[in-house]
Amino acid sequence: SFSSVLERRLAASFGAGEVEVINLGVGGALSDEIVHYARQSYVLDPDLLILYFGNNDLADIYRLAGFRAYSAGGVALRFVLARLRVARLLSSLLPDWALGRVDAEGGWLDSEGLSFEESSFLRRVAELNLRSNMERLVRDARRQGVDSLLVLQAQNDDMCGPTNEQDDSFHSGCFQQALRRVAYQVAARTGVPVVDMPQALRSHRGMSPDQGQWEGEIFQPRREGAGHELFYDTCHPTRLGHQLIGEFIAPTAVRVLRLRQ
């Protein structure tokens, strides 16, 4: 895995036996859950928290809204209220019937799907939630004396393709522009370093960093090079993919750790 590759690279810089990389990643976890996992990790007295985040947060809210029992606005409202302490307290006190909860047997997929406007609205809600959680993670860690490093989830260019946010295929599960936007917004607000793994893999495969186009204030690199040789599907790495991801995280991790010495 890329965590074991990273451990070997850090050991080469700091000495054998001086470094331990502990993989606390949980498959399919959302950032709301990762906040709690990160807090549990502090008992290990870490020096560096590496946050490898990606598609799940941005895709999950679409899955909820895809059931006819929910509307885009209803999902967004529940999403926001769940983050208010007063709303959570009231929810815990009220009976189920008062909350308008849907019987699990009454939900089914809506064949009509979401409109582009609904999808765009939910994407903005999901981005806001992801950014809020990432900032909370970084600031919580800092209060514990722990440094953080954000790593953008690598993705399969052969499957994700050259999409943009005005293209319906953007909502098929590949969210590179949105993830990059969230990462650099968090970096600007907290000073946390970011490893742009999709671009690192493309550069390794021969794509120049300046190949791409500007979309507003965000430069979107041309998506090509990091394909099925590095990924089994849209985002899960092959053995070679794990090797390269570990290699590309290492230099920034070394730099952050050296600043602590």
Side-chain angles (χ1 to χ4, degrees):
S1 66
F2 68 75
S3 58
S4 61
V5 174
L6 176 62
E7 183 173 89
R8 292 197 298 272
R9 292 295 168 263
L10 294 180
S13 296
F14 295 100
E18 296 297 317
V19 177
E20 182 181 18
V21 174
I22 302 173
N23 183 355
L24 297 180
V26 177
L30 304 176
S31 62
D32 299 289
E33 300 165 302
I34 295 170
V35 168
H36 297 292
Y37 299 147
R39 287 172 177 165
Q40 293 170 7
S41 76
Y42 299 146
V43 299
L44 301 172
D45 194 23
D47 298 295
L48 177 63
L49 191 65
I50 297 177
L51 304 169
Y52 185 89
F53 69 99
N55 293 347
N56 290 332
D57 267 82
L58 300 183
D60 186 64
I61 194 170
Y62 296 109
R63 287 193 289 266
L64 285 177
F67 285 86
R68 188 166 294 185
Y70 300 95
S71 66
V75 169
L77 180 60
R78 288 170 180 264
F79 217 60
V80 172
L81 289 177
R83 278 139 190 84
L84 301 177
R85 292 183 180 179
V86 172
R88 290 201 300 271
L89 176 61
L90 291 175
S91 177
S92 67
L93 297 174
L94 292 173
D96 284 356
W97 62 265
L99 296 171
R101 289 177 177 162
V102 178
D103 185 340
E105 296 180 358
W108 65 92
L109 284 174
D110 192 336
S111 59
E112 296 177 6
L114 299 174
S115 68
F116 180 79
E117 289 73 20
E118 289 174 322
S119 294
S120 298
F121 169 66
L122 291 177
R123 175 180 55 77
R124 291 194 297 273
V125 173
E127 280 191 45
L128 175 62
N129 182 66
L130 177 58
R131 185 174 70 241
S132 173
N133 281 333
M134 289 295 106
E135 288 185 17
R136 191 192 321 177
L137 278 162
V138 172
R139 297 186 196 282
D140 279 356
R142 193 167 289 160
R143 282 192 287 270
Q144 296 291 326
V146 180
D147 289 319
S148 301
L149 171 61
L150 298 187
V151 182
L152 277 167
Q153 183 182 51
Q155 297 184 15
N156 187 336
D157 289 334
D158 290 343
M159 296 184 71
C160 290
T163 60
N164 62 67
E165 294 185 12
Q166 300 304 315
D167 185 343
D168 288 341
S169 59
F170 170 78
H171 304 289
S172 64
C174 298
F175 302 95
Q176 290 190 12
Q177 293 103 321
L179 292 173
R180 182 172 287 108
R181 181 166 52 247
V182 168
Y184 285 106
Q185 286 171 343
V186 173
R189 292 166 64 91
T190 66
V192 66
V194 175
V195 177
D196 189 335
M197 192 56 64
Q199 187 55 36
L201 293 178
R202 291 188 194 107
S203 297
H204 177 76
R205 306 295 285 182
M207 293 297 296
S208 172
D210 60 0
Q211 290 181 276
Q213 62 184 7
W214 286 93
E215 294 180 6
E217 298 180 353
I218 302 294
F219 180 76
Q220 301 298 349
R222 182 175 167 187
R223 298 180 182 182
E224 189 176 319
H228 281 99
E229 190 176 357
L230 305 183
F231 301 94
Y232 290 111
D233 51 18
T234 56
C235 61
H236 294 95
T238 63
R239 233 176 132 175
L240 176 59
H242 273 285
Q243 175 76 28
L244 292 175
I245 290 170
E247 297 277 0
F248 288 130
I249 293 175
T252 305
V254 168
R255 186 167 66 250
V256 173
L257 290 170
R258 287 204 188 282
L259 290 174
R260 293 180 65 89
Q261 292 182 325

